[in-house]
């Protein structure tokens, strides 16, 4: 199983667990919880390959350890947890030294 297939399975687990814990959530609510657009989530769940950047973005959004999406998960541990309040900003993509 390659990393794209593993990420696909882990995404399915995430979506399933979020819907189980929040039965009234719509597709847009699940997408928001994963920090992706609803249309992109649909593409991913339909089999579009998930790149590294999106995998890391989802991990940050769900407060999962780095690399969680790349290892086949069998338990939905921490899947439905909300990220702590301090995880609301995104890391800078520009080196602060360059800005200064």
């Amino acid at each position: 199983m390659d990393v794209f297939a593993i990420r696909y399975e882990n995404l399915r687990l995430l979506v399933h667990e979020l819907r189980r814990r929040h039965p009234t959530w719509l597709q847009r609510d699940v997408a928001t919880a994963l920090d992706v657009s609803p249309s992109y989530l649909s593409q991913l769940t339909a089999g579009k390959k998930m790149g590294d950047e999106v995998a890391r973005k989802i991990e940050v959004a769900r407060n999962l350890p780095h690399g969680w999406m790349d290892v086949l998960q069998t338990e939905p541990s921490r899947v439905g947890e909300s990220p702590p309040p301090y995880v609301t900003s995104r890391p800078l993509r520009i080196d602060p030294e360059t800005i200064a």
Side-chain angles (χ1 to χ4, degrees):
M1 185 177 276
D2 68 5
V3 72
F4 298 111
I6 291 170
R7 289 175 182 165
Y8 173 76
E9 291 300 324
N10 289 339
L11 178 66
R12 287 184 46 179
L13 177 67
L14 282 169
V15 170
H16 173 77
E17 187 61 18
L18 286 169
R19 288 195 171 144
R20 186 187 68 77
R21 292 183 185 197
H22 307 282
T24 60
W25 277 14
L26 303 172
Q27 177 85 351
R28 71 169 182 252
D29 301 314
V30 174
T32 299
L34 298 175
D35 197 19
V36 297
S37 71
S39 62
Y40 193 61
L41 178 59
S42 292
Q43 292 174 27
L44 290 172
T45 56
K48 179 177 178 75
K49 291 183 178 181
M50 181 189 306
D52 293 338
E53 188 174 323
V54 174
R56 302 298 81 84
K57 185 178 178 179
I58 290 172
E59 290 166 353
V60 169
R62 299 311 312 154
N63 194 30
L64 297 166
H66 181 84
W68 188 92
M69 291 293 293
D70 299 340
V71 178
L72 189 60
Q73 305 296 322
T74 56
E75 295 293 322
S77 63
R78 300 177 46 199
V79 167
E81 292 180 6
S82 297
Y86 59 83
V87 183
T88 57
S89 63
R90 300 286 178 245
L92 288 175
R93 291 181 181 239
I94 301 172
D95 181 13
E97 293 294 319
T98 304
I99 296 171

